[in-house]
Amino acid sequence: TEARQALADWNALTSADPAAQYTANLRLYNAADALHADASRAGGSPAIEDLYDSLVSVQSIIDREGADYNTTAERYNATVSAFPANVIGAVWGAGQAEQFGN
């Protein structure tokens, strides 16, 4: 039930907010991880293990790229908060970059 709801919520996500995307993805990952644990206790199968390995690999990529994005966003935020970038940014409507989860 949790996996089905997490998938539905992830598919319905319309926000471009990186933190909201990360949170929805992490919820879906955790639900799939719990399903894998249940399937493994029930005997599992090679196909399920292959799918789970792919899931873990993709989640690792998301976590690594998210960390890289956050580092870049922090540098950007430091730059745009200093003079003269803060004045120019205010005129152009540029703001702080959102963080991608934690």
Side-chain angles (χ1 to χ4, degrees):
T1 302
E2 170 60 15
R4 187 175 301 140
Q5 187 59 53
L7 180 59
D9 292 347
W10 185 82
N11 283 327
L13 185 66
T14 59
S15 174
D17 173 39
Q21 292 175 356
Y22 181 81
T23 299
N25 179 71
L26 189 59
R27 180 177 170 214
L28 182 57
Y29 173 78
N30 288 334
D33 188 54
L35 280 175
H36 173 259
D38 289 345
S40 292
R41 282 190 291 276
S45 77
I48 289 175
E49 290 306 314
D50 287 345
L51 287 171
Y52 183 71
D53 290 345
S54 294
L55 173 70
V56 170
S57 176
V58 169
Q59 186 62 39
S60 294
I61 292 168
I62 290 169
D63 289 340
R64 184 180 64 248
E65 294 300 319
D68 289 347
Y69 169 86
N70 284 343
T71 299
T72 302
E74 288 169 8
R75 284 195 310 257
Y76 168 83
N77 288 341
T79 300
V80 298
S81 65
F83 184 81
N86 60 347
V87 175
I88 296 168
V91 170
W92 289 347
Q96 298 283 311
E98 297 286 333
Q99 294 291 307
F100 187 74
N102 290 334

